[in-house]
């Protein structure tokens, strides 16, 4: 009984220690961020910087209060485009990845080309999509799909390729079919890198939708930013930028949570 008590006590101490470390890790960046905002505000006030050059953090905060309805409306449109495009890119990446694993000739033909496509900036693709698919939601969703598809696919394939040959040989000795090998070995062991690809893509997804809206559209955060920039309302531009960052962080947080839940249930 004493031994079990000691084990429980040690676990409680370790948990308490982990919580303390987590809180202390968050403390420093939060204090740094608040300090930077304070310095920013002070510089703008002391140097009388015009708001059309650099708005004060307090002005940006007031923008959220005064125009929250407009910001919410535009945010929901961009969020819808991002979620649809992101989910399509995940499904498409998994489909292509599985196809490449089962049919190696497809991988040999197209896999190297996919690395080259990563070098094409989103801002050069978006105008073409707007011309081909119009100013509606299609061009924005496709821009998100093209931006998010390749990081997910490349990381998924990297996860499959990194599997130890001994495991593959074991499944061969056991006369496992390709489907069973993929389901019980390749897919589970590629999940770590797959989630890495999702995390990378989630940071790009909202930005891709916003960039597509810059170049053509009637509603969305990108459209709102362009209009605000044209009228030199930089507080509105900064407010939109903050929303893009917040949504991107939420996306990353959700992916991290799903990753932790997945690997926790696999134990």
């Amino acid at each position: 009984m004493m031994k079990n008590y000691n084990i429980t006590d040690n676990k409680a101490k370790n948990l308490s220690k982990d919580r303390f470390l987590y809180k202390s890790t968050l403390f420093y960046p939060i204090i740094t961020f608040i300090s930077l905002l304070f310095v920013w505000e002070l510089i703008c006030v002391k140097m009388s910087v015009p708001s059309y050059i650099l708005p004060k953090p307090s002005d940006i905060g007031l923008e959220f209060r005064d125009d929250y309805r407009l910001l919410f409306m535009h945010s929901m449109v961009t969020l819808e485009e991002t979620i649809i495009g992101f989910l399509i890119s995940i499904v498409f990446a998994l489909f292509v990845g599985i196809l490449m694993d089962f049919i190696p000739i497809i991988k040999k033909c197209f896999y190297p080309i996919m690395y080259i496509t990563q070098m094409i900036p989103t801002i050069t693709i978006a105008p073409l999509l707007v011309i081909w698919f119009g100013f509606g939601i299609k061009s924005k969703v496709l821009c998100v799909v093209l931006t998010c598809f390749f990081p997910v696919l490349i990381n998924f394939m990297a996860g499959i390729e990194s599997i130890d040959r001994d495991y593959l040989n074991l499944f061969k000795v056991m006369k496992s079919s390709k489907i069973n090998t993929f389901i019980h070995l390749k897919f589970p062991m590629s999940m770590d890198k797959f989630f890495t690809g999702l995390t990378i893509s989630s940071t790009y997804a909202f930005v891709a939708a916003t960039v597509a809206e810059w170049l053509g559209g009637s509603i969305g955060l990108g459209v709102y930013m362009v209009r605000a920039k044209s009228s030199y309302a930089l507080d509105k531009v900064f407010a939109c930028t903050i929303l893009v960052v917040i949504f991107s962080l939420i996306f990353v947080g959700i992916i991290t949570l799903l990753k932790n839940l997945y690997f926790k249930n696999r134990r």
Side-chain angles (χ1 to χ4, degrees):
M1 290 294 292
M2 183 62 71
K3 186 177 180 181
N4 289 335
Y5 174 77
N6 289 335
I7 291 170
T8 306
D9 191 46
N10 287 334
K11 284 183 178 178
K13 286 180 180 178
N14 289 333
L15 184 61
S16 177
K17 185 179 178 182
D18 290 340
R19 284 175 180 170
F20 174 77
L21 289 171
Y22 178 72
K23 288 178 181 178
S24 63
T25 304
L26 286 176
F27 175 77
Y28 292 107
I30 289 171
I31 291 298
T32 304
F33 181 69
I34 293 171
S35 301
L36 289 172
L37 287 179
F38 178 76
V39 172
W40 179 359
E41 182 84 20
L42 194 64
I43 289 171
C44 289
V45 172
K46 292 295 182 183
M47 297 182 68
S48 300
V49 180
S51 60
Y52 62 85
I53 299 294
L54 182 65
K56 298 189 295 292
S58 57
D59 292 336
I60 299 167
L62 289 173
E63 172 62 24
F64 281 105
R65 187 196 68 182
D66 297 337
D67 284 345
Y68 70 92
R69 286 191 179 89
L70 264 177
L71 288 170
F72 179 79
M73 179 187 69
H74 288 288
S75 296
M76 289 302 101
V77 172
T78 307
L79 184 62
E80 181 187 3
E81 295 163 355
T82 305
I83 291 173
I84 294 171
F86 189 56
L87 292 176
I88 291 172
S89 69
I90 294 170
V91 174
F92 191 40
L94 284 172
F95 173 76
V96 174
I98 292 168
L99 203 64
M100 285 182 173
D101 183 64
F102 278 83
I103 309 173
I105 189 67
I106 294 177
K107 181 181 176 182
K108 290 177 182 177
C109 291
F110 294 102
Y111 198 53
I113 297 172
M114 291 179 182
Y115 278 99
I116 297 170
T117 58
Q118 282 291 281
M119 301 173 191
I120 303 172
T122 305
I123 201 163
T124 61
I125 301 172
L128 297 174
L129 296 176
V130 171
I131 292 168
W132 293 338
F133 299 99
F135 295 99
I137 192 173
K138 287 181 184 178
S139 57
K140 283 71 175 179
V141 169
L142 280 169
C143 188
V144 175
V145 171
L146 290 175
T147 304
C148 298
F149 166 72
F150 297 109
V152 177
L153 175 65
I154 288 168
N155 279 276
F156 180 54
M157 294 305 298
I160 291 175
E161 290 172 355
S162 64
I163 296 171
D164 196 323
R165 297 299 305 176
D166 291 339
Y167 290 128
L168 295 170
N169 292 333
L170 176 63
F171 271 73
K172 283 182 182 179
V173 169
M174 295 172 66
K175 300 187 184 302
S176 175
S177 65
K178 278 189 173 183
I179 295 174
N180 284 331
T181 301
F182 181 83
I183 293 171
H184 298 291
L185 176 65
K186 291 182 177 181
F187 188 76
M189 294 195 74
S190 65
M191 281 297 97
D192 187 36
K193 290 190 179 295
F194 173 70
F195 276 108
T196 301
L198 289 182
T199 304
I200 294 168
S201 293
S202 64
T203 61
Y204 296 151
F206 218 84
V207 176
T210 307
V211 169
E213 289 169 350
W214 283 353
L215 302 167
S218 57
I219 192 170
L221 281 178
V223 176
Y224 189 72
M225 287 174 76
V226 170
R227 290 172 182 171
K229 178 182 70 69
S230 301
S231 59
Y232 293 94
L234 290 194
D235 53 343
K236 299 179 189 295
V237 176
F238 273 93
C240 291
T241 305
I242 289 168
L243 284 173
V244 170
V245 172
I246 289 170
F247 280 118
S248 298
L249 287 173
I250 290 170
F251 269 44
V252 172
I254 292 170
I255 298 299
T256 304
L257 180 64
L258 291 174
K259 179 181 177 179
N260 293 337
L261 287 172
Y262 175 82
F263 284 108
K264 186 178 179 181
N265 292 329
R266 292 287 301 177
R267 289 172 188 171

